[in-house]
């Protein structure tokens, strides 16, 4: 679904792949660590540019230390520790809000070039 929307927004093949990879990592985190949640996506425009915005929300345990969680190689589980930090690198815009006991909200945007 993310790739189809990225194609509709006229993202390049490379940018489509980056967005799909970031979305896949974030979806996995939402399921694995957040216990499930929601994903919403939309085409967005700003300053004459078009892009795709993908929002993930969960009501899981939250992330107690955001700085640590965004460090390459750190994982609270058995993963490689590249999910959040990798998604941040792959997106043009990345916003992460999390509060222990209240869940996590992540927004990524990839702009067409």
């Amino acid at each position: 679904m993310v790739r189809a929307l990225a194609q509709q927004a006229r993202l390049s093949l490379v940018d489509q792949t980056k967005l799909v990879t970031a979305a896949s990592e974030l979806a996995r985190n939402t399921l694995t660590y957040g216990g499930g949640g929601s994903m919403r996506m939309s085409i967005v425009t700003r300053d004459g540019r078009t892009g795709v915005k993908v929002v993930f929300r969960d009501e899981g345990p939250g992330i107690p230390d955001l700085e640590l969680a965004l460090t390459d190689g750190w994982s609270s589980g058995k993963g490689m520790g590249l999910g959040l930090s990798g998604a941040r690198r792959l997106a043009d815009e990345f916003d992460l809000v999390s509060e222990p006991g209240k869940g996590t909200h992540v927004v990524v945007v990839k702009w067409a070039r």
Side-chain angles (χ1 to χ4, degrees), residues 18-113:
K18 288 179 179 180
L19 181 61
V20 167
T21 302
S24 175
E25 289 294 328
L26 295 170
R28 186 184 65 77
N29 281 359
T30 299
L31 290 171
T32 302
Y33 302 111
S38 66
M39 179 196 81
R40 300 215 188 279
M41 58 184 186
S42 59
I43 293 179
V44 292
T45 57
R46 185 185 319 145
D47 300 327
R49 300 185 307 166
T50 300
V52 176
K53 176 180 176 179
V54 188
V55 179
F56 294 88
R57 286 186 193 268
D58 69 60
E59 294 180 4
I63 303 170
D65 187 338
L66 292 178
E67 187 174 332
L68 181 61
L70 288 166
T71 302
D72 284 344
W74 185 85
S75 175
S76 63
K78 296 180 181 175
M80 293 175 23
L82 298 173
L84 287 175
S85 62
R88 180 172 60 175
R89 274 194 310 279
L90 292 167
D92 294 325
E93 295 179 20
F94 179 91
D95 185 50
L96 169 64
V97 176
S98 186
E99 188 175 337
K102 295 193 176 179
T104 302
H105 179 229
V106 183
V107 179
V108 292
V109 178
K110 191 72 180 168
W111 295 104
R113 305 200 189 289

